[in-house]
């Protein structure tokens, strides 16, 4: 159990939630959505639904995190309620996809946004950024907190200034915009593309559960965990709606559709080339907090998971100050490999698909909590939250699988590898126990 000197308050926990949520998704996914969905009401509805689902999920995780104390998050919830296999799988997924893929995507987005300058920032730069952040997080909890809070401050200040400037400035009549407030939204929300666009949105909200993974490092967890989750999620939802409005207001659909660096395109239209490049720099800087947040939280989950395994046992060890350095660099190495093995959109889709699937499994564990186990929501009306979340998840997963079968199968294939590794790990652990119990020869 962490001592008070090695624990964080709700502000740092909320900073982790905000930094894990605001990052790659909001600054890249609008271009993918505009390929099929162009009505502004439809776009806003996507992000409102995503925010509601994230908030409902945060309510569920607040209860789960308060009940299952200590670090581990989904690993603990699934292991204690369903079966150790599910705990193993969520940890395997978190190691390979859940926390390593977002790190890779954030680093790739950094290089994409910085490529507005004459020098081309490629995969090498993205991987270097990951390892520099990993090194910074390897010293102590105090150093990690200061580093993370500094870049999260940049992230939040940048978002606030961007919103004020973007809303205040008039759009250019010559350039045009993507704002469309017609009645076409009524048809668009019935399209399969609306459901598949939700997978990009739900990915962009990934991180609403992040503080629950480090519950063991939060002071007064029953009070501060729900506070950090809810404040972080509400702030991010409002930010997402306003940032999308700015991008739609300052760039036409033809300029944004299918592109990753959509905010950069809108910023150049909004402020001119020189100031637009400065916006690109700040987008890249705020992505450092995203990389930091995922490496921080992911390493704690991997450390908790590794303690109970044979194959991954070495990753459970920390340094003298308790920092899981091996786990941090394991995520960094995997993120670097991901960068070298897929396109941005392909990585995005299979990551979003598999994270939605396992978020649904984790949320379903609240049904195992009895009324007396809940410390925040005592009424049975609480079950509205997980039920709505799961119904939308089924809707999203079905259409994502139908329209992106290749990426979905990649995700399912990674799960299959995890099942094989679980079987191998159990056998190795069993063999070691048998050797330890074997009688000594005379």
């Amino acid at each position: 159990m962490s001592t008070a000197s090695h624990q964080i308050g709700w502000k740092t926990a909320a900073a982790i939630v905000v930094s894990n949520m605001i990052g790659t998704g909001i600054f890249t996914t609008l271009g993918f959505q505009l390929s099929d969905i162009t009505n502004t009401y439809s776009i806003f509805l996507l992000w409102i639904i995503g925010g509601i689902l994230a908030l409902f999920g945060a309510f569920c995780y607040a209860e789960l995190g308060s009940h299952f104390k200590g670090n581990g998050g989904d690993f603990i919830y699934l292991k204690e309620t369903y079966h150790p296999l599910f705990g193993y799988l969520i940890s395997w997924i978190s190691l390979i996809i859940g926390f390593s893929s977002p790190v890779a995507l954030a680093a790739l987005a950094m290089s994409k946004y910085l490529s507005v300058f004459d020098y081309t920032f490629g995969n090498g730069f993205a991987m270097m950024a990951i390892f520099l952040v990993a090194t910074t997080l390897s010293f102590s909890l105090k150093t990690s907190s200061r580093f993370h809070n500094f870049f999260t401050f940049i992230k939040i200040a940048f978002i606030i200034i961007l919103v004020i400037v973007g809303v205040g400035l008039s759009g250019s009549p010559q350039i045009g915009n993507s704002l469309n407030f017609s009645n076409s939204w009524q048809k668009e929300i019935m399209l399969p593309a609306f459901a598949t666009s939700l997978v990009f949105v739900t990915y962009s909200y990934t991180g609403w559960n992040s503080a629950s993974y480090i519950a063991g490092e939060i002071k007064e967890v029953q009070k501060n965990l729900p506070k950090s989750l809810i404040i972080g999620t509400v702030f991010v939802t409002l930010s997402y709606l306003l940032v999308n409005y700015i991008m739609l207001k300052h760039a036409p659909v033809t300029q944004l559709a299918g592109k990753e660096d959509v905010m950069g395109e809108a910023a150049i239209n909004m402020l001119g080339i020189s100031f637009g490049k400065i916006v690109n720099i700040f987008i890249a800087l705020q992505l450092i907090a995203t990389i930091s947040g995922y490496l921080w939280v992911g390493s704690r989950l991997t450390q908790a998971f590794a303690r109970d395994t044979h194959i991954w046992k070495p990753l459970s060890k920390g340094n003298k100050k308790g920092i899981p350095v091996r786990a941090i660099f394991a995520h960094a190495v995997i993120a670097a490999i991901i960068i070298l093995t897929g396109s941005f959109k392909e990585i995005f889709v299979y990551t979003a698909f598999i994270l939605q699937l396992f978020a649904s499994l984790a949320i379903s564990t609240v049904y195992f909590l009895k009324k007396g186990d809940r410390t925040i929501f005592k009424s049975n009306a609480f079950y509205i939250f997980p039920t709505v979340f799961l119904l939308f998840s089924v809707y999203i997963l079905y259409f994502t699988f139908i329209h992106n079968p290749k990426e979905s199968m990649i995700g399912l294939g990674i799960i299959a590898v995890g099942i094989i590794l679980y079987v191998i790990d159990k056998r190795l652990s069993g063999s070691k126990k048998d050797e330890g119990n074997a009688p000594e020869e005379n």
Side-chain angles (χ1 to χ4, degrees):
M1 189 76 176
S2 299
T3 61
S5 62
H6 291 288
Q7 288 188 311
I8 59 177
W10 73 266
K11 292 179 183 178
T12 297
I16 291 172
V17 173
V18 170
S19 62
N20 277 24
M21 291 171 77
I22 299 178
T24 316
I26 185 57
F27 294 114
T28 57
T29 60
L30 179 62
F32 300 146
Q33 293 164 26
L34 286 172
S35 296
D36 301 296
I37 304 295
T38 59
N39 187 283
T40 303
Y41 289 131
S42 303
I43 297 292
F44 284 176
L45 185 58
L46 284 169
W47 292 94
I48 290 169
I49 291 172
I52 291 171
L53 293 179
L55 192 59
F56 283 10
F59 290 154
C60 295
Y61 268 62
E63 285 290 3
L64 290 166
S66 297
H67 179 70
F68 297 101
K69 296 177 178 62
N71 291 351
D74 299 353
F75 167 67
I76 301 296
Y77 311 156
L78 291 168
K79 177 186 173 185
E80 296 294 327
T81 53
Y82 285 117
H83 188 275
L85 169 62
F86 288 89
Y88 191 98
L89 285 178
I90 189 63
S91 301
W92 162 249
I93 292 302
S94 296
L95 176 63
I96 301 299
I97 292 183
F99 291 92
S100 300
S101 280
V103 168
L105 288 168
L108 284 171
M110 277 181 68
S111 63
K112 183 72 175 178
Y113 271 98
L114 290 176
S115 293
V116 71
F117 297 94
D118 294 335
Y119 181 78
T120 300
F121 293 82
N123 290 348
F125 170 82
M127 290 186 285
M128 181 182 70
I130 291 169
F131 283 104
L132 283 174
V133 174
T135 301
T136 305
L137 295 177
S138 300
F139 297 109
S140 68
L141 195 61
K142 180 181 275 189
T143 302
S144 299
S145 294
R146 286 177 175 174
F147 175 83
H148 188 77
N149 288 351
F150 173 73
F151 282 102
T152 300
F153 171 78
I154 290 177
K155 181 190 291 280
I156 294 171
F158 167 69
I159 291 289
I160 292 171
I161 293 170
L162 184 68
V163 166
I164 292 171
V165 173
V167 172
L169 288 176
S170 300
S172 169
Q174 291 80 20
I175 295 171
N177 60 59
S178 300
L179 295 173
N180 172 12
F181 294 105
S182 69
N183 290 329
S184 62
W185 67 271
Q186 297 173 11
K187 293 181 179 178
E188 285 189 346
I189 64 172
M190 303 304 294
L191 295 174
F194 186 83
T196 53
S197 290
L198 265 174
V199 80
F200 296 120
V201 172
T202 54
Y203 173 84
S204 301
Y205 279 101
T206 300
W208 49 262
N209 55 355
S210 53
S212 68
Y213 289 114
I214 54 168
E217 294 177 2
I218 300 176
K219 298 173 188 174
E220 299 180 66
V221 65
Q222 290 189 346
K223 179 179 77 173
N224 288 331
L225 176 60
K227 191 175 182 180
S228 64
L229 288 170
I230 293 166
I231 290 174
T233 302
V234 170
F235 174 82
V236 170
T237 302
L238 293 173
S239 299
Y240 280 2
L241 287 170
L242 290 168
V243 170
N244 273 285
Y245 171 74
I246 291 167
M247 291 188 285
L248 293 169
K249 179 182 179 181
H250 292 283
V253 172
T254 52
Q255 188 179 358
L256 300 178
K259 291 187 178 178
E260 296 159 19
D261 53 339
V262 281
M263 189 68 245
E265 296 285 341
I268 289 172
N269 293 348
M270 188 168 61
L271 301 167
I273 294 175
S274 297
F275 282 103
K277 287 181 177 180
I278 293 173
V279 171
N280 281 35
I281 291 173
F282 275 96
I283 291 173
L285 283 175
Q286 64 84 32
L287 285 168
I288 292 174
T290 302
I291 295 171
S292 170
Y294 277 102
L295 286 177
W296 184 339
V297 176
S299 63
R300 270 60 177 185
L301 177 58
T302 296
Q303 182 184 42
F305 153 62
R307 290 192 188 105
D308 296 331
T309 67
H310 182 83
I311 296 174
W312 309 106
K313 193 80 171 179
L315 299 182
S316 66
K317 294 182 180 179
N319 63 12
K320 291 180 181 178
K321 294 190 176 181
I323 305 299
V325 176
R326 294 184 182 183
I328 289 172
F329 278 93
H331 282 280
V333 169
I334 293 167
I337 293 170
I338 290 171
I339 285 173
L340 297 173
T341 56
S343 70
F344 186 93
K345 187 173 182 181
E346 185 177 74
I347 296 168
F348 207 118
V349 173
Y350 75 67
T351 298
F353 175 81
I354 209 67
L355 290 184
Q356 190 67 31
L357 175 60
F358 274 89
S360 303
L361 281 172
I363 288 293
S364 71
T365 62
V366 299
Y367 292 110
F368 289 87
L369 296 182
K370 296 176 182 177
K371 187 173 182 179
D373 295 330
R374 299 201 302 271
T375 58
I376 303 167
F377 299 98
K378 294 295 186 180
S379 169
N380 283 333
F382 165 77
Y383 290 112
I384 292 172
F385 303 140
T387 302
V388 170
F389 186 98
L390 293 173
L391 287 173
F392 267 97
S393 284
V394 171
Y395 166 69
I396 294 166
L397 290 168
Y398 171 76
F399 282 104
T400 303
F401 186 87
I402 295 298
H403 291 276
N404 299 279
K406 177 188 173 184
E407 291 83 355
S408 301
M409 290 304 296
I410 289 172
L412 294 176
I414 293 171
I415 295 174
V417 171
I419 294 172
I420 293 168
L421 287 173
Y422 173 78
V423 173
I424 294 171
D425 204 298
K426 294 299 288 183
R427 288 182 179 177
L428 288 172
S429 298
S431 298
K432 191 149 189 175
K433 286 179 183 176
D434 291 341
E435 288 174 12
N437 295 329
E440 295 182 6
E441 293 183 8
N442 293 324

